[in-house]
Amino acid sequence: MSVPDYMQCAEDHQTLLVVVQAVGIVSEENFFRIYKRICSVSQLSVRDSQRALFIRYRHHYPPENNEWGDFQTHRKVVGLITITDCFSPKDWPQTFEKFHVQKEIYGSTLYDSRLFVFGLQGDVAEQPRPDVAFYPNYDDCDSVEKRIEDFIESLFIVLESKRLDRATDKSGDKIPLLCVPFEKKDFVGLDTDSRHYKKRCQGRMRKHVGDLCLQAGMLQDALVHYHMSVELLRSVNDFLWLGAALEGLCSASVIYHYPGGTGGKTGARRLPGNSLPSEAANRHRPGAQEVLIDPGALTTNGINPDTSTEIGRAKNCLSPEDIIDKYKEAISYYSKYKNAGVIELEACVKAVRVLAIQKRGMEASEFLQNAVYINLRQLSEEEKIQRYSILSELYELIGFHRKSAFFKRVAAMQCVAPSIAEPGWRACYKLLLETLPGYSLSLDPKDFNKGTHRGWAAVQMRLLHELVYASRRMGNPALSVRHLSFLLQTMLDFLSDQEKKDVTQSLENYTAKCPGTMEPITLPDGLTLPPVPFTKLPIVRCVKLLSLPTSLRPQKVKSLLGQSMSTKSPFIYSPIIAHNRGEERNKKIDFQWVQGDVCEVQLMVYNPMPFELRVENMGLLTSGVEFESLPAALSLPAESGLYPVTLVGVPQTTGMITVNGYHTTVFGVFSDCLLDNLPGLKTSGSTVEVIPALPRLQISTSLPRSAHSLQPSAGDEIATNVSVQLFNGETQQLAITLENIGLEPLEQLEVTSKLLTTKEKLYGDFLSWKLEETLAQFPLQPGKVATFTINIKAKLDFSCQENLLQDLSDDGISVSGFPLSSPFRQVVRPRVESRPTNPSEGSKTGDLGHVKRQLFHAGKEEEEEEEKEGEEAAAADSSLMHVYYQRRTHEERSPCSSEQLLSLLLLELLEGPCQMYVALWVFPS
C-alpha cells in the first residue's frame, strides 16, 4: 500500500467502504450531483436490532490498497456503485459490459454492487434487475436514496454472515493464516503444524473477527476479540498484526468514549452495538463495577444477553490515557516494517485527532513530528502537496498555528517546484493566503493601528514578498500593487534604508502599468482585500482648521450703537469631561467658513523615508456639504522634521462640514487617509459651520496711504490709514470708491466717524458727507462701483487759551516762534523742547487723515533804547503770523520768514513766470 489516506480517523474502523465511480462518459457536474445524494445515506439502523451501520464513500480508491483488506477490514472495498449515461438500447450491452469490468477490479472483496443508468427508456429499462436502476434523466430520480438504503442492507447481510462464519468455533478445522501482501513470500515453507504457527493464525483471525464485529455494530464483541488477539499475537512476537490489534482496540475505545467522532464531522454518531445511553453516562462514574468478561461467554450468535450490559463497563475498553499509550505501542511496532509506512502514518494521524479532542497539544505534536519523518516511496508532487497540507491542518487542529503556517507555506512552494512542467501559481497563492493567520498577519491595515506589532516581522516580510511574486506570476498586477503597498505601509518600521528604496522602486514599476486605487479587490474564492492607504507616507501629527483671513472673516452684525445682535446663553456646568479623541475631532469650532471662499487646513507632516518624498494630488476629504478640494503637490526632504502643509478648498453649499481626512498619491498609489485611522494625531476639532456667501467690498480713496497707524486695530476690524496735511480753515475733499468684487449684491452701507483726541476744545467737526446719491445705487451688484465724497475741514479755535504753545507742544505739534518788528528784521526764537512729545497723545487725530500744523510765533519784545516812538505800536501790533507760499508745481506749502519770502520772490522772477501767493493771518496775542 503506497497511497495514504490522510483523512482517516479512529471511527473509520467501523465503516464499510463503498466506491462510487462513473462508467463511460459522464459529465462531472452530473456525477457529483448524484454522488452527493448517495453520500447523504451514510448511517443506517439495522432492522430489528439496536445496531447501526456506517458507510464511507470514496469516488477514487487505489486497487492496491484493497489488498490490505484482511489486515484491516475497513480498507476493503465491499460495495461498488457505478453511474453511467445510456440513451440508446443499442449501447446498453456495451455499457453493462463496462460495469462488469469495473466490478472485476474489486471483485475479490465486493459484497454487492449497483449500476445507475440515466437516459435509457423502453423495454430494456422496464426489465426488473436487482443490481441495475434506470432513470430517465438526472432530475427525475427521486428513488436514489431508497435504492442506496436497500443496497446497504444487502451489504449488512453479507457482513453478518461473514462475521458469524469467522466467529464460529469450528473444532478440527484448520484456521487459515491471514497475510498482508508483502508477507506471503516469507511464509513459504514454514511448518504449519507448529504451535507457534497455530497461535499466529488464531491471533490474526481473532483480530479479523474483531474488525468484522466493529463494522457490524457490535462494539463489546470487538473489544473482547481485540484483547484476545493482543494476548495471542504478543506471545508469538507477531509485531505487525499486534500493532493492528492494538490499533483496533484503540479505535473501539475511541468510538465508545467519543460517540461524536474525532474527524470533525457534523452530527454525532449514535452509540453502536448494545451500548445504552445509561452505560455512556455511567462509564466514568466513580466506583463503577469493572468485570472482566470470560471469552467463553461468546456464542455463535455473538454476545450473551446476560453479560452484554457489563461488557460496556469492562476493562476491555481502554481509558482515554491508555488509548494514547496503546497508539504509541502500535506505531512502534509498525515502524519495524518498511512496507508498513502508510499504516504507521495513518495511525499517527488518528492519534493526533484523538489528542486534539483531549486537548493534549504537546503530545499530539510528537506524533506529527514522527509522521513528518516517516519514509514513504517516492511521492509525486501532488502527493507531497497533499501531505504537507494535511500536516498543516493537523497542526492547526492542536493549536500550533505557526507550525501549521510553516507546512502550508511548504505546500505552496511545492506547487511551483522546478520539477513541475506547469507550475500552479494560483494554488500557490491560495495556500500562501491561508498561512497569514499563523504568522499573525492580516491583510487589513487597520489591524496594525492597534499598537504593538505581533509576530516575526522578518518572516512576515518574506511571506508578503512571496505573495507579490506569486500574484505577478498569476498575471494580476493589481494584486501585486496591493500586497506591495501593504508591505510598505505595515512593515515600514522594520525595513532598512536600502530595503525601503528597493520596495519603493518596485512599487513605482508596478504602478506604472497598474496604478494603485482605494477599491477593494475580490478574489475568485470570495476573499476581499481591503484598500491600503499610505498613512505613513508622509506621517501626519497635527491637523488644524484655520479661520479665514481678517478681510474675509465673517463678523456678527452690529448696530450703530455697537450692541451685538446675538443673545447670551446660560452657562451650565458639567463635571463630566469627554476625553474621547473622536469626540474632540467632531466638536464644533468657534469660527465659521463662508460659502465660495477659499478655506484652509494646516497639517504638520514629516517624511520617514531616507530620500526625498514626492506627494502628489494631496487634498482634503470632507463630508456634510459639497466641497471642492484644490489639490496640492509637495516635496519633503529626507527624514525631515515636522513640516507645515496647508490644504485648501472651497465649500459650495452651506451647513456643517467635517474634515474627515486627506487624500494623496505617493509612488503611483492613490490613498484616502482618514483622521480616525491616524495614530498619535493631535487636532482641535474637525467640524466647522459654513455660512451663506457674503458680499466682498473693496474700498479705495483719493488720498495716499499713511505709513503710520493711528491705533492698533481690534481683532474684528479692518483698518486702513490715509494722510492729509491741512492748515487751519482749509477744506479738502476725500473721494472714497466702493467696488463690489464678490458674487453677492451689496445691500446696505453705513458710515460713521469717531474722533480720537484728548484736546476736544481745540477741534471742531472735521468730517461731513452725504450718502443720498450713493445709496441710490444700492443694492450694488457684483462688479459695480459706487463713490461718495467726504469733506475734511480743519477748524481750530484759539480763543481764551492760555499756554497755547505749551499745549500744542504737549500734543506733539511742531511749533516755532519769532518776534516781528519789521518785515525785514527778525530774530529766530528756538523751539520749546523742554517737555518731550508723547507719541500716544500726538497720534490722536481724526481717523480719516492727519492734519499737520506748523505755527510760527512772533513774540512781543521791547526795544526801548533804539525806537522809543514805536514802543506802544509794536506792543499793540505784536501778532502770530502765518507766512507760506506755493508754486504751481509744488504740492506742499512751506513756511518762511519775511526775508526768505523776498528772496524767493526775486528768485522766481529771475526764473520765469510763476504763481505765488502769500497769506498773513494776525491774531491777537
Side-chain angles (χ1 to χ4, degrees), residues 571-578:
F571 171 74
I572 301 176
Y573 169 76
S574 173
I576 303 175
I577 302 177

Side-chain angles (χ1 to χ4, degrees), residues 32 47 58 89 100 158 187 190 234 281 354 509 517 525 575 598 628 671 714 717 731 770 775 824 827 838 874 906 920:
F32 282 101
R47 295 176 184 177
R58 293 289 184 270
H100 282 284
V158 178
F187 291 112
L190 287 180
R234 195 186 299 275
V354 175
N509 294 337
T517 65
D525 57 355
V598 177
E628 179 186 0
S671 303
E717 294 180 352
T731 301
K770 293 183 180 181
L775 293 177
F824 302 103
V827 177
N838 189 347
L906 293 175
L920 179 63

Side-chain angles (χ1 to χ4, degrees), residues 857-900:
H857 175 254
K860 174 182 175 183
E861 206 173 278
E862 298 179 355
E863 298 178 355
E864 296 179 355
E865 295 180 357
E866 296 182 357
E867 297 182 8
K868 291 183 179 180
E869 293 96 358
E871 189 176 30
E872 294 179 0
D877 295 336
S878 186
S879 64
L880 289 170
M881 180 179 66
H882 281 276
V883 181
Y884 63 94
Y885 79 98
Q886 180 180 16
R887 295 187 59 183
R888 182 185 300 273
T889 58
H890 292 173
E891 294 183 0
E892 296 185 1
R893 302 181 177 91
S894 302
C896 64
S897 63
S898 303
E899 296 171 1
Q900 292 172 334

Side-chain angles (χ1 to χ4, degrees), residues 548 552 593-599 626 628 649-654 690-694 696 743-744:
L548 293 173
L552 299 178
W593 284 352
V594 179
Q595 175 186 359
D597 288 351
V598 177
C599 306
E626 184 179 349
E628 179 186 0
V650 179
Q652 304 295 332
T653 57
T654 61
V690 179
I691 63 176
L694 298 177
R696 296 177 61 183
L743 300 177
E744 299 294 327

